[in-house]
Amino acid sequence: MPAAQRLARQLHPDEVDVVLVSRSDRFVERPRLHQLATGQELQDIPLRRHLQGTGIGLEVGRVTHLDRALRCLTLTGPDGDRRLGYDTLVYALGSTTDTESVPGVACHAHHLDGPHSAERLSAALRDLTSGGGTVVVCGGGPTGVETAAEIAESFPALEVGLVTAGSPGGRLSNRGHTYVTDTLERHGVSITEDVRIVEVAGDRLVLADGPDIPFDVCVWAGGFTVPTLARDSGLEVDRTGRIRTDRYLRAVSDPHVWALGDAAAVPGPWGDDLAMGCRTGGFTAPAGADNVAAALTGERLREFRYRYFHECISLGRRRGLVQFLHADGSPTDVVLTGRLALRYKEATLRSVVVLLHRPGPHLRHRRLAVASGARQAVVSAERRRHRRDLEPVVAVRRLGEPRCGHRGGPGG
Ligand SMILES: Cc1cc2nc3c(=O)[nH]c(=O)nc-3n(C[C@H](O)[C@H](O)[C@H](O)COP(=O)(O)OP(=O)(O)OC[C@H]3O[C@@H](n4cnc5c(N)ncnc54)[C@H](O)[C@@H]3O)c2cc1C
């Protein structure tokens, strides 16, 4: 969203159509899904209303195919498939919970991938509260820790367990780690650490070494994975399927594709690629959009620079932890705790929504870097193409470039 908005504010609307393609017609604030799962209301942000007056087109549908040779997306929606051509693609499809690596997760565990899955979990928790029951949260990273704390605080009658390899919050500083485990224990969360879950059966976790752990409701927070669309399209991806980018956020294997957020493997200054998260991905959006605009208008690209700063973890609605980080992401000894830390986290989450309303200062429309004689022809072809791309038959192509979605199949 912020990337689309920054692009629309920098590129001249007579020359470029910016189209946002999204599976959902709502903006989903993923870092608050554990709040939705415990019955809290979240702000509703309909994309169409939000984009009014920005000049950005909205296409609601799931991207099911990316044809890089034809520069064309296939979108699947309630009315069937349709195709949408592009000259420049900004790929920001994010991540989802990995439900495939451990058998049984997809069938027997809840997860927090969107409002629907969060509401399903919320209903399951409400059903349990009348008779009591056991909830196990699998995974001791920030998502698992936040979810376990939120459930335990909201449903004190339930037995809540956190089961994880390593220790919950194990990558934090000693002070941070101690605060997390103490707070979980205060909430009555029982912690089972240093175990490997090899299967989620219908009513129990099966461990590699140790007795099964029974549950009534299981929540899986064992890590994220990314859509296979990039890999399937032949883009160069890392081991996890994230698009490999250069330091300008452009895909190393396709100059027409730029990748942002969780779906991008962006080289960090310390050798490792940046970790997933809004605290990293949120910064790639303005930087990536600015570089796309610079590339199209013939200006200088800027290297994406990033240093880790903090990790904010909510521990229910009364406590939180802010772990400050060294530039390379390793924890410092400095932490904020308690209500102050929760307020700090709230402020960072709200700043993301503010970014949606104010995508950046000092932006002005700039013209494409095309020789002026040729520009008019390109512009009119562009505009006709966009109009027709939304119909089943797309025949207009940009001068000298391949066709997209011509009747009769790819290549036409
Ligand atoms: C419960 C929870 C708590 C979290 N807490 C934090 C936190 O405190 N701090 C932090 O830094 N991170 C946190 N995260 C992680 C954070 O939410 C993600 O890293 C962040 O949302 C990634 O942003 P993104 O824009 O790359 O992708 P996403 O937010 O995943 O957005 C991707 C968008 O693409 C759409 N999409 C995906 N596939 C398709 C398709 N095929 N076709 C069309 N549209 C598609 C999706 O619907 C979505 O709108 C949390 C995540 C969860 C689940």
Side-chain angles (χ1 to χ4, degrees):
M1 274 278 276
Q5 286 173 292
R6 271 185 91 92
L7 278 170
R9 288 177 63 165
Q10 294 184 72
L11 297 170
H12 205 286
D14 289 347
E15 294 187 336
V16 177
D17 290 314
V18 178
V19 181
L20 180 68
V21 179
S22 172
R23 188 169 48 186
S24 165
D25 64 355
R26 300 304 214 238
F27 179 78
V28 176
E29 236 186 310
R30 283 178 66 201
R32 290 194 189 273
L33 288 176
H34 55 291
Q35 293 177 239
L36 188 62
T38 50
Q40 299 165 47
E41 277 196 21
L42 301 190
Q43 192 183 352
D44 184 30
I45 308 178
L47 294 184
R48 209 170 291 285
R49 199 175 69 207
H50 191 79
L51 293 177
Q52 256 169 21
T54 60
I56 299 170
L58 175 65
E59 285 294 313
V60 178
R62 195 161 68 87
V63 184
T64 47
H65 186 65
L66 162 58
D67 187 328
R68 289 192 300 118
L70 295 178
R71 286 197 232 154
C72 187
L73 304 172
T74 304
L75 269 64
T76 303
D79 305 325
D81 286 359
R82 61 198 192 283
R83 311 183 78 180
L84 182 65
Y86 65 84
D87 296 300
T88 299
L89 178 69
V90 179
Y91 185 105
L93 295 186
S95 61
T96 52
T97 308
D98 177 5
T99 58
E100 298 300 323
S101 301
V102 173
V105 171
C107 324
H108 303 303
H110 289 267
H111 49 78
L112 291 171
D113 272 344
H116 296 304
S117 52
E119 273 156 9
R120 273 197 299 277
L121 173 57
S122 175
L125 294 172
R126 279 198 311 274
D127 283 352
L128 269 194
T129 42
S130 45
T134 303
V135 180
V136 291
V137 178
C138 308
T143 309
V145 165
E146 290 192 328
T147 306
E150 202 81 40
I151 294 175
E153 187 185 83
S154 304
F155 300 98
L158 298 180
E159 307 242 332
V160 181
L162 183 65
V163 181
T164 186
S167 183
R171 279 175 308 191
L172 302 170
S173 63
N174 285 341
R175 287 179 66 199
H177 176 236
T178 306
Y179 187 76
V180 164
T181 48
D182 283 356
T183 305
L184 288 172
E185 279 163 13
R186 253 172 92 130
H187 282 311
V189 177
S190 65
I191 298 171
T192 308
E193 54 188 17
D194 291 326
V195 294
R196 193 161 63 85
I197 302 164
V198 291
E199 187 187 344
V200 179
D203 58 356
R204 70 209 140 82
L205 301 179
V206 181
L207 305 183
D209 193 6
D212 292 355
I213 299 180
F215 63 76
D216 298 296
V217 167
C218 172
V219 187
W220 189 259
F224 293 151
T225 184
V226 295
T228 58
L229 209 67
R231 189 194 298 271
D232 296 344
S233 75
L235 279 164
E236 190 175 325
V237 295
D238 73 355
R239 199 172 38 83
T240 60
R242 300 197 292 169
I243 297 177
R244 280 199 185 287
T245 75
D246 58 21
R247 292 191 186 282
Y248 305 99
L249 303 167
R250 196 197 295 247
V252 293
S253 51
D254 187 337
H256 304 291
V257 177
W258 303 71
L260 310 176
D262 282 7
V266 180
W270 309 277
D272 289 343
D273 292 337
L274 292 191
M276 291 187 197
C278 341
R279 71 202 159 97
T280 44
F283 290 91
T284 61
D290 290 357
N291 273 344
V292 172
L296 292 176
T297 54
E299 288 170 22
R300 194 171 61 84
L301 306 191
R302 287 177 196 275
E303 264 193 29
F304 175 65
R305 291 177 190 276
Y306 181 81
R307 60 144 293 153
Y308 288 91
F309 182 64
H310 61 203
E311 170 137 27
C312 307
I313 300 176
S314 65
L315 297 162
R317 291 300 97 198
R318 289 189 287 274
R319 287 179 151 217
L321 172 81
V322 178
Q323 170 70 64
F324 291 96
L325 304 171
H326 292 292
D328 65 357
S330 56
T332 68
D333 287 335
V334 183
V335 294
L336 273 185
T337 57
R339 278 187 194 277
L340 185 60
L342 191 63
R343 280 211 292 274
Y344 184 109
K345 168 149 194 173
E346 276 300 308
T348 62
L349 288 182
R350 272 199 295 274
S351 69
V352 174
V353 178
V354 169
L355 193 64
L356 297 184
H357 294 280
R358 296 178 203 285
H362 312 307
L363 303 180
R364 63 187 165 80
H365 286 141
R366 305 197 299 272
R367 295 276 177 185
L368 292 180
V370 179
S372 55
R375 184 188 288 144
Q376 198 53 45
V378 172
V379 168
S380 58
E382 286 276 0
R383 297 193 70 76
R384 275 183 293 145
R385 197 173 76 125
H386 176 60
R387 272 204 305 280
R388 294 190 188 197
D389 274 352
L390 306 181
E391 300 163 11
V393 181
V394 180
V396 180
R397 62 192 166 128
R398 190 170 161 162
L399 298 176
E401 293 189 356
R403 299 163 189 223
C404 167
H406 193 272
R407 192 197 290 277

